[in-house]
């Protein structure tokens, strides 16, 4: 099947010709199939946010290409504009996205720009708000009067309300409490399934990406260092630690159990850990 | 001696429109001893940042009192000594950037609080090295990545050398290594220099490193104790929208299979040993 997104030899250089010139993305290539849930991990400054901002055409490559459904995102202005709606990007800092007087208007901003009818906008705003756990009362307040975690919910809802085919989330769970983090991630997974949407999630939580994604892109020093399933990636524990990353906590516990001599396969999530223990018990 | 003492605190945000107000605290008591490392947990909107802003007089009590090192935060005359005693790292580092060059940004607070210039140079360099950002000292802070900005904000408070540091989700944007380094730096400041640390976080494994965990829910303290005590009541934590560190969550799930693992194993090594014994490994 033709990929929904294709990144070809993408390179981005910031502040070219100044003392702060920095090659933030260096010759990256990969493609993304419709319906995939991909996690992006990498150390601070490895180029994750820069890469993500290319995928909806917000940044222009210094060289290389991003293709959406086989067409270069920058091939013509109209297509670039459409790409902003088809590929929704939730920024790392939600404040960058909030500017209207009420939460409702903020979430409605995207759908309104798309030229949708009033009832359709209303339906989408309420659905998106529900998905991120915002109450009806919160829709009427100013987004600036919200707590940090509440602002993040508004930012996520604002992009989901556009019902993008590809949803890109840059650190969506930073600042969310554990229960809402689990709840919102579950709802995003439901969104993917019901809409056959593609999700790309940047995260520093190894536990979260292990639990949710089917594929991980690992960035290091502006390069794409690994591209594989969580199982493939997390078996390379030493390399990950060298890159400033980590393995999930349960993985560490089970590696230790294996070292101690128990016949256990590696696990990456609590669910897998419970299944492995069950199997071990039954095998006895 | 208490570093921070909050008594019968009441606070409401008053909205732009008349009559609209959000009540955050009605009657909160909390005392933090000098030299301790305290983590504050609570679900989104529970009042953590609002409380923290009382600790260095950014917000003033609507009712009750807040004293830092014996100084009443409502006394305007004491504002400078209060700010010198309690340094704060805000939730969003962007709101904290004040200069166009990293080292000037880090020097801003100590300069304003009257630290002598030759000292400042030394402190700034030292603070930037501690957070691994010395190399970026001449860069423009607003052009840094999310995690790099967060490190700069932390360097700013380290350079101040206050008696008490309040960090509002300082590691939210950091990679695992960065988080570990910040936690080590904070622990070192606490252990070696006796600096009081108040850490607001949504990372349960970070809270596990504190001497004391305080859980706030809807403006009320609902749990307060050693990390092992607080986290082992895992059902209560879940009820409050929180969790326990992954190792405790794992033991909790395994106990549903009929094991009786203790729920206070916060380190993966301890968790592995207990599991090894339970699975009949020895
Ligand atoms: N406008 C700019 N000019 C110069 N350098 C920049 C600019 N914007 C970003 N950079 C640099 O590019 C690199 C990559 O930044 P990016 O924001 O993509 O990192 P990241 O992987 O998202 O990091 P984090 O995990 O901290 O968010 C960083 O070293 C950053 O300092
Ligand atoms: N400037 C403001 N004006 C009005 N209400 C506010 C303002 N700031 C916060 N609030 C409200 O006060 C309550 C407590 O907010 P606070 O920021 O203290 O929460 P928090 O515990 O820090 O949450 P988070 O984990 O999301 O950062 C929330 O209900 C929030 O909506
Ligand atoms: Mg980033
Ligand atoms: Mg807060």
């Amino acid at each position: 099947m033709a990929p929904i997104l294709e990144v070809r030899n993408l390179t981005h250089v910031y502040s070219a010709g100044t003392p702060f010139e920095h090659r933030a993305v260096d010759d990256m290539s990969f493609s993304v199939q419709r319906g995939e849930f991909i996690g992006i991990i990498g150390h601070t400054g490895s180029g994750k946010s820069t890469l993500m901002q290319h995928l909806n055409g917000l940044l222009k490559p210094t060289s290389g290409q991003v293709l959406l459904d086989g067409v270069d995102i920058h091939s013509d202005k109209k297509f670039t504009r459409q790409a902003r709606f088809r590929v929704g990007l939730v920024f790392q800092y939600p404040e960058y996205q909030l500017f209207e007087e009420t939460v409702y208007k903020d979430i409605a901003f995207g759908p309104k720009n798309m030229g949708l009818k009033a009832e359709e906008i209303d339906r989408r705003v309420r659905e998106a708000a529900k998905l991120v756990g915002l109450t009806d009362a919160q829709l009427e307040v100013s987004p600036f009067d919200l707590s940090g975690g509440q602002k993040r919910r508004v930012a996520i809802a604002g992009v989901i309300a556009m019902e993008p085919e590809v949803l890109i989330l840059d650190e969506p769970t930073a600042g969310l409490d554990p229960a809402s983090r689990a709840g919102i991630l579950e709802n995003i997974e439901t969104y993917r399934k019901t809409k056959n949407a593609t999700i790309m999630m940047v995260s520093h939580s190894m536990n979260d990406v292990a639990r949710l994604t089917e594929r991980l892109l690992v960035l290091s020093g502006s390069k794409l260092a690994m591209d594989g399933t969580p199982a493939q990636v997390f078996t390379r524990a030493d390399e990950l630690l060298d890159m400033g990353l980590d393995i999930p906590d349960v993985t560490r516990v089970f590696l230790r159990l294996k070292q101690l001599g128990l016949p256990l396969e590696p696990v990456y999530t609590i669910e897998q850990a419970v299944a492995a223990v069950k199997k071990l018990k039954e095998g006895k | 001696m208490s570093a921070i003492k909050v008594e019968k605190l009441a606070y409401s945000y008053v909205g732009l429109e008349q009559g609209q107000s959000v009540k955050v605290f009605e009657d909160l008591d909390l005392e933090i001893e000098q030299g301790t490392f305290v983590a504050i947990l609570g679900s989104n909107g529970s009042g953590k940042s609002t409380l923290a802003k009382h600790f260095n007089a950014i917000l003033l009590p609507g009712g009750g009192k807040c004293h830092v090192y014996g100084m009443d935060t409502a006394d305007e005359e004491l504002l400078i000594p209060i700010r010198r005693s309690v340094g704060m790292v805000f939730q969003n580092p962007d709101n904290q950037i004040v200069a166009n060059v990293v080292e000037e940004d880090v020097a801003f607070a100590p300069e304003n609080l009257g630290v002598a210039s030759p000292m400042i140079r030394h402190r700034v360099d030292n603070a930037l090295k501690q957070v691994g950002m010395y190399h970026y000292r001449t860069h423009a802070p607003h052009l840094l990545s999310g995690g790099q900005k967060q490190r700069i904000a932390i360097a700013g408070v380290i350079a101040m050398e206050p008696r008490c540091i309040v960090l509002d989700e300082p590691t939210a944007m950091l990679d695992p290594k960065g988080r570990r380094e910040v936690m080590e730096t904070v622990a070192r400041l606490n252990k070696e220099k006796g600096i009081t640390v108040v850490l607001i976080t949504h990372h349960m494994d970070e809270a596990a490193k504190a001497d004391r965990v305080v859980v706030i829910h809807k403006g009320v303290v609902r749990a307060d104790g050693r990390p092992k005590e607080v986290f082992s009541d895992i059902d209560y934590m879940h009820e409050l929208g929180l969790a326990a560190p992954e190792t405790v969550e794992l033991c909790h799930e395994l106990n549903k299979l009929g094991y009786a693992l203790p729920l206070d194993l916060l380190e993966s090594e301890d968790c592995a040993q207990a599991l090894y014994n339970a699975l009949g490994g020895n």
Side-chain angles (χ1 to χ4, degrees), chain A residues 20 43-44 92-93 95-96 147-149 152-153 175 177-179 204 207 244 249 252 256-257 260 281 284, chain B residues 43-45 91-94 138 146 149 169 173-175 177 202 204 241 246 257 259 268-269 272 276 279:
Chain A
F20 303 117
H43 62 79
T44 292
Q92 186 164 4
Y93 286 106
E95 281 81 356
Y96 291 168
S147 78
R152 177 158 309 272
R153 291 168 208 234
D177 62 62
H204 284 306
N207 297 341
D249 294 303
R252 177 167 291 112
R256 182 75 183 118
L257 287 173
L260 290 168
K281 213 170 137 193
K284 277 207 170 136
Chain B
S43 57
N44 293 136
Q91 193 159 355
N92 178 350
D94 263 1
T138 60
K149 283 180 192 162
E169 301 189 33
M173 294 295 170
L174 295 183
D175 60 33
K177 176 158 164 263
H202 288 299
M204 302 302 134
E246 286 279 301
L257 298 180
Y259 294 100
S268 47
E269 178 60 27
Y276 181 69
L279 294 173

Side-chain angles (χ1 to χ4, degrees), chain B residues 84-98:
Chain B
R84 206 179 281 152
S85 307
V86 181
M88 173 116 176
V89 176
F90 292 95
Q91 193 159 355
N92 178 350
D94 263 1
N95 299 345
Q96 219 161 328
I97 294 175
V98 288

Side-chain angles (χ1 to χ4, degrees), chain B residues 25 33 103 110 124 129 133 135 139 147 153 165 191 201 264 267 274 278-279:
Chain B
F25 300 114
E33 274 295 300
E103 57 186 1
V124 167
K129 281 177 190 160
M133 289 297 290
H135 177 68
H139 283 236
I165 293 184
K191 294 275 145 13
T201 184
D264 63 354
E267 299 292 332
L279 294 173

Side-chain angles (χ1 to χ4, degrees), chain A residues 17 28 63 116 141 144 154 198 259 283:
Chain A
M28 291 190 196
S63 64
L116 299 173
V141 307
F144 300 99
V154 179
T198 309
Q259 248 180 20

Side-chain angles (χ1 to χ4, degrees), chain A residues 14-15 20 22 24 42-51 92 171 204, chain B residues 136 143-148 173:
Chain A
Y14 281 119
S15 314
F20 303 117
H22 184 80
H43 62 79
T44 292
S46 59
K48 303 179 299 294
S49 297
T50 307
L51 172 64
Q92 186 164 4
E171 300 269 4
H204 284 306
Chain B
Y136 288 86
L143 297 183
L144 296 173
S145 79
Q148 290 165 340
M173 294 295 170

Side-chain angles (χ1 to χ4, degrees), chain B residues 70-250:
Chain B
M71 295 178 280
D72 186 340
T73 58
D75 186 343
E76 273 176 48
E77 310 259 292
L78 297 174
L79 190 64
I80 296 282
I82 287 169
R83 294 263 164 97
R84 206 179 281 152
S85 307
V86 181
M88 173 116 176
V89 176
F90 292 95
Q91 193 159 355
N92 178 350
D94 263 1
N95 299 345
Q96 219 161 328
I97 294 175
V98 288
N100 292 322
V101 180
V102 165
E103 57 186 1
E104 283 172 16
D105 195 76
V106 174
F108 183 80
E111 257 165 14
N112 268 297
L113 296 171
V115 177
S117 312
M119 283 301 293
I120 290 181
R121 172 89 255 161
H122 176 72
R123 283 196 194 177
V124 167
D125 286 354
N126 194 25
L128 282 170
K129 281 177 190 160
Q130 286 202 44
V131 299
M133 289 297 290
Y134 185 65
H135 177 68
Y136 288 86
R137 64 191 178 283
T138 60
H139 283 236
H142 61 277
L143 297 183
L144 296 173
S145 79
Q148 290 165 340
K149 283 180 192 162
Q150 208 156 32
R151 284 163 179 253
I152 300 300
I154 294 165
V157 79
I158 292 177
M160 269 176 69
E161 298 190 358
R163 293 162 86 185
C164 173
I165 293 184
V166 180
L167 305 122
D168 197 350
E169 301 189 33
T171 65
M173 294 295 170
L174 295 183
D175 60 33
K177 176 158 164 263
R179 280 180 52 198
R180 220 159 30 235
E181 285 170 0
V182 165
M183 289 303 293
E184 280 163 14
T185 305
V186 164
R188 196 169 57 240
L189 292 172
N190 175 248
K191 294 275 145 13
E192 291 173 9
K193 303 214 164 164
I195 294 176
T196 309
V197 174
V198 180
L199 172 74
I200 296 171
T201 184
H202 288 299
H203 291 291
M204 302 302 134
D205 51 335
E206 292 176 2
K209 303 257 188 276
D211 302 321
R212 174 180 168 202
V213 174
V214 175
V215 180
I216 295 185
H217 188 71
K218 295 190 177 150
V220 176
V221 174
R222 296 284 292 272
D224 185 350
R226 301 206 149 269
K228 284 189 177 215
E229 295 160 11
V230 172
F231 288 125
S232 58
D233 199 351
I234 189 167
D235 291 325
Y236 188 49
M237 293 300 274
H238 288 165
E239 208 180 292
L240 300 178
L242 301 175
E246 286 279 301
T247 49
V248 179
E249 295 282 344
L250 174 64

